[in-house]
Amino acid sequence: VTGVRVRRPNGTATLRCRRLVLAAGTLENVRHALLLREQGVPLYEDIGLGVNDHPRQLGTVTFPEGRRPFGHEGFAMHVEAGTTLQDRLEVASARSQAGEVSASFLLFPRPERPARGLRRERALRAVGEGIPKRAGHVAARLDNRAGDALDVVLRVTAPARARLIRLGLGVSWDNEWCAWSGDERFVASRSWLVRTFIEQPPDAANRVVLDGRRDADGLPLPRLVFGRPFDAIGSATVRACFDRGWAGPQGAEVRWEETAEGVTSCHLAGGLPMGEDPATSAADPHGRLHGTANLYAVGACLFPSSGHANPTFTGMALAERLGAHLVATR
């Protein structure tokens, strides 16, 4: 890579560079790599394949009458290879590839309510969650300007939708899941929502491709394809671990929803997995793309497997490590 063409208010310019680091997130990093490969750069054959997220399974846990399950702090659990643990842990890529399932369980107070209240809950959740999801699908099919406008509407209305859920249901919302800790009616609740985030092994059916839509420079935009968004076997294993290893000894009853969600967050990872062998990885252990002398990538796009939870600190650590390497080899 000898230079980068950039857009400026008064036109375009080309910046010369000795080394270039792609640091624009998983989708954009993969997109740039795909564009370079289309121009003949000998990059990894399977760029964009194996992108993964955190499939999500919802359920309800009900404790026996008079039992006070938790204290006044936020609560999380973790399952690794069938063992239920407090807090969250990372699972190494080798263990993931061996078929062991990892998951996080977050619990939110969910006061019990009659059938009429449940119908109202479903309606309000459709406003809070269903509308933005459907709007997101619509935005992906619109031209750039209309899609951007719809995205702005969703962002502006997000606080109001969260407040509607909180006031209308009397239940904590995802991004406020610790706000209930000072509210006695929540802490003493017998019924809790359990939100399970499950590790998603890399799968070739889940990938990033170049779309027919174009950006302002006429270049193809990235499109996320999830052909196999959820692993039903992994879900059943995780639920059994939770039921047997934690809910059973607590004397709690668990009801799981039948359906699960595949793309659940902004924690997309993979697509440019790092490794030693150019035949099976897109980048070397420092993030340099195989087939190039001076093009690097950082972030979750380098993960061979993303685990079940937040990848940001690991991505930051990789960036810091790459920075030290670039300074040492300049």
Side-chain angles (χ1 to χ4, degrees):
V1 179
T2 59
V4 181
R5 186 166 62 91
V6 298
R7 178 179 294 277
R8 303 173 62 183
N10 58 348
T12 60
T14 299
L15 301 179
R16 306 288 294 180
C17 62
R18 290 192 299 120
R19 290 180 291 194
L20 178 65
V21 179
L22 300 176
T26 294
L27 288 178
E28 280 297 299
N29 283 358
V30 172
R31 175 201 185 198
H32 286 301
L34 289 171
L35 291 172
L36 286 172
R37 195 177 63 187
E38 283 196 345
Q39 297 177 30
V41 179
L43 299 179
Y44 178 51
E45 182 179 352
D46 291 334
I47 282 177
L49 273 62
V51 171
N52 44 77
D53 197 355
H54 311 314
R56 183 171 65 181
Q57 182 81 58
L58 296 179
T60 302
V61 181
T62 304
F63 292 91
E65 187 71 42
R67 187 179 185 96
R68 189 181 183 90
F70 310 117
H72 290 269
E73 299 295 336
F75 186 81
M77 290 179 296
H78 173 82
V79 166
E80 180 182 358
T83 302
T84 305
L85 308 169
Q86 297 292 104
D87 210 353
R88 300 177 177 182
L89 299 175
E90 285 295 323
V91 176
S93 172
R95 300 192 67 176
S96 171
Q97 293 171 2
E100 296 182 355
V101 180
S102 169
S104 287
F105 298 91
L106 302 182
L107 282 93
F108 307 79
R110 187 177 194 173
E112 295 180 85
R113 54 180 59 84
R116 182 179 179 184
L118 289 174
R119 288 194 294 271
R120 183 178 65 170
E121 175 177 342
R122 294 190 187 101
L124 287 173
R125 286 198 178 279
V127 174
E129 293 183 319
I131 288 179
K133 284 183 181 179
R134 292 184 180 278
H137 294 313
V138 172
R141 292 172 172 79
L142 298 176
D143 60 52
N144 295 341
R145 182 173 298 179
D148 290 344
L150 182 56
D151 186 56
V152 169
V153 172
L154 293 176
R155 290 202 306 270
V156 170
T157 59
R161 285 187 280 109
R163 181 174 176 80
L164 176 66
I165 294 292
R166 186 172 65 254
L167 295 180
L169 298 180
V171 64
S172 58
W173 189 238
D174 284 7
N175 58 5
E176 302 165 332
W177 73 280
C178 285
W180 50 262
S181 60
D183 191 323
E184 183 62 25
R185 68 183 173 133
F186 282 160
V187 175
S189 174
R190 291 180 56 222
S191 182
W192 291 65
L193 174 70
V194 55
R195 176 151 294 180
T196 304
F197 293 91
I198 304 171
E199 180 174 12
Q200 184 175 52
D203 192 305
N206 303 326
R207 61 198 187 277
V208 176
V209 298
L210 295 179
D211 197 25
R213 297 188 306 152
R214 304 271 170 167
D215 64 12
D217 294 308
L219 298 175
L221 289 168
R223 180 164 60 91
L224 181 64
V225 177
F226 262 56
R228 192 172 291 110
F230 195 72
D231 181 355
I233 297 176
S235 169
T237 302
V238 167
R239 290 186 301 183
C241 290
F242 181 84
D243 295 351
R244 180 180 64 252
W246 189 82
Q250 295 287 330
E253 176 189 354
V254 186
R255 298 189 303 274
W256 296 101
E257 294 188 3
E258 295 183 3
T259 58
E261 299 175 86
V263 185
T264 59
S265 69
C266 56
H267 292 165
L268 293 174
L272 294 174
M274 58 184 177
E276 296 281 0
D277 187 354
T280 58
S281 61
D284 71 13
H286 286 293
R288 180 182 60 82
L289 298 188
H290 294 306
T292 72
N294 63 347
L295 179 62
Y296 297 80
V298 293
C301 62
L302 296 176
F303 294 3
S305 174
S306 68
H308 59 88
N310 310 54
T312 302
F313 281 170
T314 308
M316 293 171 64
L318 289 174
E320 183 176 15
R321 180 171 176 265
L322 173 59
H325 171 71
L326 295 179
V327 170
T329 58
R330 61 185 175 184

